[in-house]
């Protein structure tokens, strides 16, 4: 082929990529056309999201509703496994994700994150009568329960001496805590507020005064390159953080269980 033609084709291909696909439409175009925006979450994570009958309520639900309101469209909720959320963004099954999701370097390769709206830490929960865990190092030989694919899972992977048998993975923190209560595992590593919410409602569990890892930041996520939608989410978050509303909502949904 003639070099000029090759150069022209290459140029057009790059231009198309820059325009997010020849003839294709951006996520924001799709949202405006369909008059609805699809929020992806995993609704078992109090106070950020929890099912109440047919509805999903919680801090992230209120943020998602505010995003839909700002866009002037209807909010549709897709409740799915936490581990599937980022691929659902990539495939366009959901338009944005809000799920108490921590910003991590690995996830940043697959999705774009909003500004952070909450700081969390991992905590260790054990049976109320268990006095054997005194340091983070003691966790290395225990059977640790985690929610699959979460930062608690990654922390457990770092801590355990037995990668094959030392970690039990569940779809939700609630299921992990239930198995701990039943005596099938030694502890659970999970985010602080959801752990507190479950422990306060479940007899026979306690949270230890240990910090197994560093602080984490929660953010909303969009498909890579969905900058216009991300800007709308960032505007909503800025307003809700400035007014103190996020803090108020966290308190409201933490108490109102
Ligand atoms: N913050 C944790 C993470 O991002 C857990 C989130 C969740 O379970 N919803 O991995």
């Amino acid at each position: 082929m003639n070099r000029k033609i090759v150069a022209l084709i290459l140029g057009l291909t790059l231009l198309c990529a820059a325009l997010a696909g020849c003839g294709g439409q951006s996520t924001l175009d799709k949202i405006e056309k369909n008059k609805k925006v699809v929020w992806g979450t995993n609704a078992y994570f109090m106070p950020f999201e929890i099912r109440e009958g047919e509805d999903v309520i919680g801090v992230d639900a209120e943020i998602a509703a505010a995003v839909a309101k700002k866009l002037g469209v209807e909010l549709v909720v897709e409740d799915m496994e936490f581990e599937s959320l980022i691929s659902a963004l990539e495939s366009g099954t959901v338009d944005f994700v809000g799920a108490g999701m921590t910003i991590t370097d690995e996830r940043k390769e697959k999705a774009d994150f909003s500004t952070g709206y909450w700081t969390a830490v991992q905590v260790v929960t054990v049976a109320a009568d268990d006095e054997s865990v005194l340091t983070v190092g003691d966790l290395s030989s225990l059977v640790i329960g985690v929610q699959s694919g979460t930062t608690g899972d990654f922390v457990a992977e770092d801590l355990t001496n037995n990668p094959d048998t030392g970690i039990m993975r569940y779809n939700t923190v609630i299921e992990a805590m239930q198995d701990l209560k039943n005596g099938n595992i030694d502890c659970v590593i999970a985010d602080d507020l959801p752990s507190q919410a479950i422990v306060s409602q479940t007899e026979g569990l306690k949270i230890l005064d240990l910090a197994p890892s560093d602080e984490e930041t929660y953010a909303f996520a969009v498909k890579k390159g969905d900058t216009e939608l991300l800007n709308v989410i960032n505007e909503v978050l800025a307003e809700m953080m400035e007014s103190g509303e996020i803090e108020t909502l966290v308190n409201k949904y933490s108490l109102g269980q």
Side-chain angles (χ1 to χ4, degrees):
M1 225 187 290
N2 179 313
R3 260 201 219 161
K4 270 191 192 155
I5 296 179
V6 173
L8 186 66
I9 291 172
L10 191 67
L12 280 176
T13 311
L14 289 175
L15 187 67
C16 281
L19 294 172
C22 265
Q25 48 177 6
S26 75
T27 301
L28 197 58
D29 291 340
K30 186 188 81 178
I31 291 166
E32 281 165 357
K33 187 170 147 249
N34 297 345
K35 299 197 169 45
K36 59 177 193 184
V37 63
V38 185
W39 164 47
T41 196
N42 173 244
Y44 300 90
F45 201 70
M46 303 169 261
F48 295 92
E49 40 267 328
I50 193 78
R51 284 210 153 269
E52 195 181 60
E54 286 294 294
D55 299 327
V56 177
I57 60 165
V59 181
D60 290 338
E62 302 246 5
I63 297 169
V67 169
K69 192 172 168 207
K70 181 146 264 183
L71 290 165
V73 300
E74 184 201 342
L75 180 69
V76 177
V77 186
E78 275 287 340
D79 183 11
M80 59 179 72
E81 279 178 17
F82 184 80
E83 268 189 307
S84 308
L85 286 167
I86 293 207
S87 49
L89 268 184
E90 290 179 303
S91 68
T93 310
V94 303
D95 299 323
F96 69 114
V97 163
M101 186 178 273
T102 302
I103 304 173
T104 69
D105 288 340
E106 240 185 34
R107 290 174 184 161
K108 273 203 289 201
E109 286 173 17
K110 297 185 185 153
D112 286 343
F113 282 91
S114 71
T115 44
Y117 64 94
W118 195 255
T119 303
V121 287
Q122 297 297 308
V123 296
V124 182
T125 303
V126 295
D129 59 1
D130 185 347
E131 303 296 335
S132 70
V133 185
L134 303 176
T135 67
V136 173
D138 292 336
L139 300 170
S140 62
S141 57
L142 300 182
V143 178
I144 306 169
V146 297
Q147 183 181 10
S148 194
T150 61
T151 42
D153 190 350
F154 310 147
V155 169
E157 281 175 349
D158 282 345
L159 290 177
T160 190
N161 286 337
N162 311 303
D164 295 331
T165 53
I167 304 176
M168 289 285 282
R169 295 185 170 86
Y170 304 84
N171 279 333
T172 64
V173 182
I174 299 169
E175 288 166 68
M177 293 285 193
Q178 199 55 51
D179 228 20
L180 175 62
K181 192 174 153 55
N182 294 341
N184 295 326
I185 54 178
D186 299 318
C187 68
V188 169
I189 299 182
D191 298 41
D192 50 352
L193 294 189
S195 295
Q196 284 162 18
I198 298 167
V199 168
S200 71
Q201 290 177 317
T202 317
E203 243 173 83
L205 298 178
K206 70 177 176 191
I207 293 174
L208 298 176
D209 190 12
L210 288 181
S213 55
D214 295 337
E215 275 187 355
E216 303 177 13
T217 303
Y218 291 171
F220 275 61
V222 298
K223 187 181 182 159
K224 272 220 154 294
D226 271 344
T227 314
E228 293 166 297
L229 178 57
L230 195 59
N231 289 342
V232 174
I233 296 172
N234 280 336
E235 273 174 45
V236 168
L237 288 174
E239 285 165 15
M240 291 178 83
M241 281 193 291
E242 222 161 275
S243 65
E245 200 178 343
I246 302 272
E247 189 100 36
T248 307
L249 290 171
V250 168
N251 290 331
K252 172 180 162 186
Y253 288 104
S254 294
L255 294 174
Q257 300 304 324

